[in-house]
Amino acid sequence: VMLAAMWCNGAVFGIQNSCGVLFVSMLQLFGGSEDKQMAFKTAWVSSLSMGMVFFCSPIVSIFTDLFGCRKVAVVGAAVGLAGLLASSFVSTIEPLYFTYGILFACGCSFAYQPSLVILGHYFKKRLGLVNGIVTAGSSLFTVSLPFLLRVLLDSVNLFNTLRVLCILMFILFLAGFTYKPLIPDTKDKEGGKKGKFKFPPGKKICNFSVFKVLSYRIWAFGIPAALFGYFVPYVHLMNHVKDRFGDSVPEEVLLLCLGITSGVGRLIFGRVADYIPGAKKIYLQVASFFFIGLMSMMIPLCHVFGALIAVCLFMGLFDGCFICIMAPIAFELVGAQDVSQAIGFLLGLMSVPMTVGPPIAGLLRDKLGTYDVAFYLAGVPPLIGGAILCCIPWVHERQKLKERAKPVDGETTEKMLENESTLVSNTTEKAVRELESGI
C-alpha cells in the first residue's frame, strides 16, 4: 500500500511539477510572434491542472467516504489516463484547457486523495515517517522526469511525449487495486445486506462539522492565503532562466535540485514530526512558509546560475517539509474519523490561489518583459500565511482544555443520576419486601 501510494504521489505531482518543461514546449509549439499574451494563455494550462487537482478534493473526499479508497482511486486513474491521451491529439492551446487542465487533473485528484486516506488505515505510530516516504515519491519523479521529458520533447515532440506519460497513469490505475480499506466503508455500514447500497444522510455525506473546530478553520484558510505564489516558480522558473541566461545553462538542473531536496525534506521532517506533540507540528509549516517566501523573493536577485541552484535547494527542502506533514496535522486537529473530508476541504480551498497565481505571473511577464516583479510578489503570501498559522497551537490547546472540562461535568451528572437511581431502586426493593412479609 505504501509503495502504491508512493507511485501515486510520484506520477501525479511529478508530472505537475515538471510542467515548466512542458510550458516552454507549448510556448514554442502554439505561440506566435503576433500573440503578445502567449505566456498568460499557456500558463492557464498548468495552473488549471494543478488547481483542479485540489479543487476536486472535497468531492473526492465524499466519494471516498461513500465508495471506499480502492474504487475511487481506480476510476480516477482511468479518467486521468483518458484526459492525458486526449491531450496528445489537440492542434491548438484552447482544447488543452479541458483535456489536460480539467479532465486529466480531475482524474489525478480522484487517484491522489485516497492515497493519503488509506495510509491512516494501515499506519498509526509512524504515520509522519510513512507520509514522508510516500510524498517523497513526487520528489523522485520531479528529479527524473524533467530530463526524460527534455529527451522525449527533442526526439519525438510534445504529443508523443504525452502518450509516453500515459504509461505512468496506467501503472497508477493498477496500483489503485491495492487500497484495501481496513476500516469498514459507508457502503458496508449503511447498506445492511450484501449487494444493497443506501445513501447516508446529507450531513454524513458532506461533513461540514469539521469547520466547527476553530483551529482547523484557521488552518484551512491560513494555508490557502500562503499559496498564492507557491506554484509560480514551478511554472515560470524555466522560462525565467531562458530569458536571463539563454540556452547557455541546463535549466532542468533547477527542477532536479528542487526534487532532490524536497525528497530529503519529506523524509527528515516527516520523521521529526513524529517527535513533535500535537498541534505544535504547525510550527514546521510556519518555518517552511517563511523560507519558501524568502527564496521566491531571492530568485530575481540571482544573476549567477549557481546562486539559483542554491535558492532551489533551500526551496525544495522546505517545500518537502510543508507537504509531508499536512496529513498528520489534519489527524491532530480533527481526529481520524473526519480526516478524509478535512483534507478534502483544505485541498479544495488551496485550489483557488494555486490556479490564480501562475497566470498573474505570466500576465506580469507579458506586460513588464521580465519575471522580477512576479517573483517578488510570489514571496509575500507565504510570509502572511505563516504568520496566520502561528496562533493555531495555542487555539488548539484552549479547545482541548474546554473539551476536558465538559466530560468532568458530564461524569458528575452521571454519578448523581446513578445515585438517584440506586436510591429509588433501594426504596422500591424495601417496599416490595415489606409487602411480601405482610402477605
Side-chain angles (χ1 to χ4, degrees), residues 4 7 73-74 77-78 167-179:
W7 182 273
V74 168
I167 297 170
L168 302 183
M169 297 303 296
F170 179 71
I171 297 172
L172 177 57
F173 170 77
L174 299 177
F177 286 101
T178 64
Y179 297 165

Side-chain angles (χ1 to χ4, degrees), residues 227-302:
L227 294 179
F228 275 96
Y230 171 81
F231 198 47
V232 170
Y234 286 98
V235 175
H236 294 286
L237 188 57
M238 299 294 99
N239 209 37
H240 169 69
V241 172
K242 276 195 174 296
D243 286 350
R244 180 160 289 188
F245 301 103
D247 294 323
S248 60
V249 293
E251 64 268 15
E252 292 85 5
V253 171
L254 298 178
L255 287 179
L256 173 68
C257 295
L258 278 169
I260 289 174
T261 52
S262 182
V264 172
R266 291 167 201 223
L267 294 173
I268 292 173
F269 289 109
R271 185 66 174 137
V272 168
D274 288 329
Y275 294 101
I276 298 176
K280 290 182 180 177
K281 293 179 177 71
I282 291 277
Y283 290 130
L284 288 176
Q285 283 193 329
V286 172
S288 66
F289 280 137
F290 175 78
F291 280 100
I292 287 170
L294 194 62
M295 293 300 111
S296 292
M297 290 177 167
M298 289 184 69
I299 289 173
L301 301 175
C302 297

Side-chain angles (χ1 to χ4, degrees), residues 209-230:
S209 63
V210 291
F211 286 101
K212 292 179 181 177
V213 181
L214 179 59
S215 54
Y216 173 77
R217 264 199 325 268
I218 298 170
W219 190 57
F221 290 101
I223 285 186
L227 294 179
F228 275 96
Y230 171 81

Side-chain angles (χ1 to χ4, degrees), residues 7-23 26 42-56 80 83-84 87 96-112 137-139 141-143 145-146 149 162 165 168-169 172 230-238 255 258 266 319 323 354-355 358:
W7 182 273
C8 176
N9 270 259
V12 171
F13 289 106
I15 296 173
Q16 297 290 351
N17 292 344
S18 303
C19 64
V21 181
L22 297 175
F23 176 78
M26 289 175 192
T42 309
W44 272 110
V45 177
S46 302
S47 289
L48 267 176
S49 184
M50 181 60 93
M52 287 301 294
V53 169
F54 295 118
F55 181 76
C56 293
L84 196 57
S87 299
L96 283 174
Y97 296 153
F98 175 73
T99 58
Y100 189 91
I102 295 177
L103 195 61
F104 167 63
C106 286
C108 286
S109 183
F110 274 76
Y112 165 65
S138 67
S139 300
F141 278 70
T142 304
V143 166
L145 264 183
L149 290 175
L162 294 175
L165 291 177
L168 302 183
M169 297 303 296
L172 177 57
Y230 171 81
F231 198 47
V232 170
Y234 286 98
V235 175
H236 294 286
L237 188 57
M238 299 294 99
L255 287 179
L258 278 169
R266 291 167 201 223
D319 169 72
I323 294 292
M354 294 187 78
T355 303

Side-chain angles (χ1 to χ4, degrees), residues 43-107:
W44 272 110
V45 177
S46 302
S47 289
L48 267 176
S49 184
M50 181 60 93
M52 287 301 294
V53 169
F54 295 118
F55 181 76
C56 293
S57 294
I59 302 166
V60 178
S61 64
I62 293 168
F63 276 84
T64 303
D65 286 346
L66 287 174
F67 302 108
C69 293
R70 181 189 286 173
K71 291 177 182 175
V72 174
V74 168
V75 172
V79 172
L81 174 61
L84 196 57
L85 188 61
S87 299
S88 67
F89 293 100
V90 302
S91 55
T92 59
I93 193 76
E94 285 77 13
L96 283 174
Y97 296 153
F98 175 73
T99 58
Y100 189 91
I102 295 177
L103 195 61
F104 167 63
C106 286

